[in-house]
Amino acid sequence: MEGQTVLSRKSFIRILGGLGTGLFVWLWHRLSDDQSQKDSRTTYRHGSDIAMGVSYYGKYYLFRDQLGVVAYSTTCTHAGCRIGRANTGILQCGCHGSQFDAATGKAIKGPAIQPLQKFECNFDAKSGQWIVKCQPAKESYV
């Protein structure tokens, strides 16, 4: 046994714990990434009778005014909490109090400083429906 290194039980448990933690983190990342990709491929359809103002649909909300309809994420850009419903044109995060303008998604009171993520939202004249995709909107600059 001369010249052999013996691994103590304590060292073995630490190594095993580190490997287990690493495996857990890797699986968590893979599963959450798969869910994000699935969400970005999901298409939601709404009739043309969307009410004026804010309409909530879980992961996103629609804002309708005289100009049309826009879709924004309901995930706060500060800590990832879900923003709450409001009777006014101002939406508030229940976690830390960030406020957003419902029409533009812009942060108007911190701690959030980034605007809400704008999603793809287009009207399909053929079906008469608004189509929302939970992926970043492609802004067109004229």
Side-chain angles (χ1 to χ4, degrees), residues 4-64:
Q4 290 182 342
T5 305
V6 179
L7 185 63
S8 71
R9 185 181 311 170
K10 191 174 185 179
S11 295
F12 177 74
I13 290 173
R14 282 184 178 165
I15 291 169
L16 198 58
L19 290 172
T21 302
L23 179 63
F24 175 77
V25 169
W26 179 77
L27 283 172
W28 183 272
H29 175 72
R30 293 286 301 178
L31 291 174
S32 64
D33 190 44
D34 288 347
Q35 184 63 38
S36 296
Q37 289 179 6
K38 180 182 174 189
D39 287 346
S40 70
R41 291 188 304 263
T42 304
T43 300
Y44 300 95
R45 297 176 175 272
H46 301 279
S48 60
D49 58 343
I50 296 169
M52 295 296 265
V54 179
S55 299
Y56 283 84
Y57 297 97
K59 296 180 185 211
Y60 65 95
Y61 72 90
L62 298 178
F63 182 82
R64 182 174 195 157

Side-chain angles (χ1 to χ4, degrees), residues 64-105:
R64 182 174 195 157
D65 62 9
Q66 296 79 10
L67 301 175
V69 176
V70 290
Y72 292 98
S73 170
T74 56
T75 302
C76 181
T77 56
H78 170 247
C81 298
R82 196 72 65 202
I83 57 172
R85 299 177 186 207
N87 294 333
T88 65
I90 298 176
L91 307 173
Q92 183 165 335
C93 177
C95 291
H96 302 107
S98 294
Q99 293 181 345
F100 300 90
D101 177 29
T104 64

Side-chain angles (χ1 to χ4, degrees), residues 110-126:
I113 56 173
Q114 296 294 320
L116 296 172
Q117 176 69 58
K118 188 174 183 180
F119 288 151
E120 289 278 329
C121 181
N122 298 300
F123 186 73
D124 180 21
K126 196 174 199 178

